[in-house]
Amino acid sequence: MAVTIKTAEEINKMRIAGRLAADVLDMIGEHVKIGVSTEELDTICHDYIVNAQQAIPAPLNYHGFPKSICTSVNHQVCHGIPGGKKLKNGDIINIDITVIKDGFHGDTSRMFIVGEGSILTRRLIDITRQAIWKGIEMVKPGVHIGDIGHAIQTLVESSGYSVVREYCGHGIGREFHEDPQILHYGTPGNGLTLQAGMCFTIEPMVNAGKRQIKLLPDKWTVVTKDRKPSAQWEHTLAVTEDGFEVFTLGAEERS
């Protein structure tokens, strides 16, 4: 699959889809509390996307995925399937939302703390958020994908954490996953050169312990091998003529 350069009209549709995805995360935050199940969060998000936004939850039935959102709790790295397990005080959870509106995808994820988080998990979440922005701030025409990955990897590893390497950011548009792949580690000057009109996600997964992961028998949920917590943030963005535009900023980030 070749990298597609989006037109101004397509970028505007991606802008709309990205805002909708961010709005879902803004909406669900108040529901992330002690005693709620991840399945309940899925139902709330599904109903909001379908009924309020008149949009489509992209994960539902994507390659057989059974739910409308991904919920990854504590040592779950990504692609956690919502279920009956209830959240407890101190849990951390990544909620990953992708909506389709007018044929285009908006993809974003955010970390939430249930009740009172520990100093360890709060720092992990904060460093991961710093890391995604280190990567985003590298984006402009002429920059290499390896420059983005290197910026993220350098911050994460200098903070004593590790970057998951098996999963990466991705091109996005009419398709959920397009080229290019955006690695969250790398060497400056390596990889594809960015051009205006490219749209992709940056979504580093950062482990408190070692970077090694494993896939659970459900064939979706990815966890850390050492069972230490993992965090992730994700944004969808476009390369502009002089930098970047993030489509999935939440209300607090837009203000």
Side-chain angles (χ1 to χ4, degrees):
M1 187 187 299
V3 176
T4 62
I5 303 299
K6 307 303 192 282
T7 66
E9 181 183 3
E10 289 172 329
I11 284 175
N12 191 54
K13 290 181 178 180
M14 298 221 33
R15 192 176 286 126
I16 292 166
R19 171 64 71 89
L20 291 176
D23 287 349
V24 180
L25 289 175
D26 287 342
M27 177 277 300
I28 200 62
E30 67 179 302
H31 300 280
V32 180
K33 54 191 178 184
I34 297 166
V36 72
S37 71
T38 51
E39 192 159 46
E40 289 173 283
L41 297 177
D42 177 77
T43 299
I44 295 166
C45 289
H46 175 92
D47 291 348
Y48 184 78
I49 293 167
V50 172
N51 298 325
Q53 297 186 334
Q54 304 288 299
I56 299 167
L60 185 60
N61 299 320
Y62 181 77
H63 294 304
F65 190 79
K67 297 292 183 178
S68 294
I69 68 173
C70 297
T71 51
S72 302
V73 181
N74 295 334
H75 72 292
Q76 295 178 341
V77 176
C78 62
H79 303 157
I81 302 173
K85 188 174 180 181
K86 296 183 184 300
L87 298 178
K88 62 183 187 301
N89 185 51
D91 283 345
I92 61 172
I93 179 173
N94 176 272
I95 299 180
D96 194 341
I97 303 291
T98 309
V99 304
I100 307 169
K101 184 72 172 180
D102 200 14
F104 284 82
H105 291 71
D107 189 1
T108 185
S109 80
R110 192 180 300 175
M111 294 301 300
F112 297 90
I113 298 171
V114 183
E116 295 297 321
S118 68
I119 292 172
L120 169 70
T121 55
R122 287 182 180 275
R123 180 174 186 268
L124 173 66
I125 288 169
D126 182 56
I127 293 296
T128 307
R129 190 172 192 174
Q130 290 180 41
I132 189 176
W133 280 102
K134 278 285 187 186
I136 290 170
E137 287 163 3
M138 293 296 298
V139 173
K140 63 180 179 181
V143 165
H144 294 265
I145 288 176
D147 301 332
I148 299 171
H150 179 75
I152 293 170
Q153 181 183 10
T154 300
L155 175 64
V156 169
E157 293 180 353
S158 68
S159 302
Y161 299 136
S162 58
V163 177
V164 171
R165 301 193 176 204
E166 291 82 354
Y167 296 89
C168 59
H170 53 88
I172 187 169
R174 292 187 186 275
E175 301 295 329
F176 198 160
H177 297 92
E178 302 178 354
D179 284 336
Q181 292 191 332
I182 308 295
L183 303 181
H184 303 118
Y185 62 95
T187 304
N190 280 9
L192 187 73
T193 303
L194 301 184
Q195 300 176 50
M198 289 181 178
C199 295
F200 50 80
T201 70
I202 298 178
E203 48 181 298
M205 299 163 210
V206 175
N207 294 347
K210 296 179 179 178
R211 70 172 182 84
Q212 282 74 22
I213 59 173
K214 65 178 181 179
L215 184 65
L216 294 188
D218 64 20
K219 300 300 183 186
W220 283 104
T221 309
V222 177
V223 299
T224 58
K225 273 194 173 179
D226 60 12
R227 296 187 65 83
K228 291 186 177 179
S230 185
Q232 181 189 21
W233 296 84
E234 178 180 15
H235 280 303
T236 297
L237 63 150
V239 185
T240 65
E241 294 294 342
D242 59 357
F244 61 86
E245 179 185 352
V246 179
F247 298 139
T248 47
L249 297 176
E252 288 186 6
E253 294 171 302
R254 295 195 301 265
S255 59

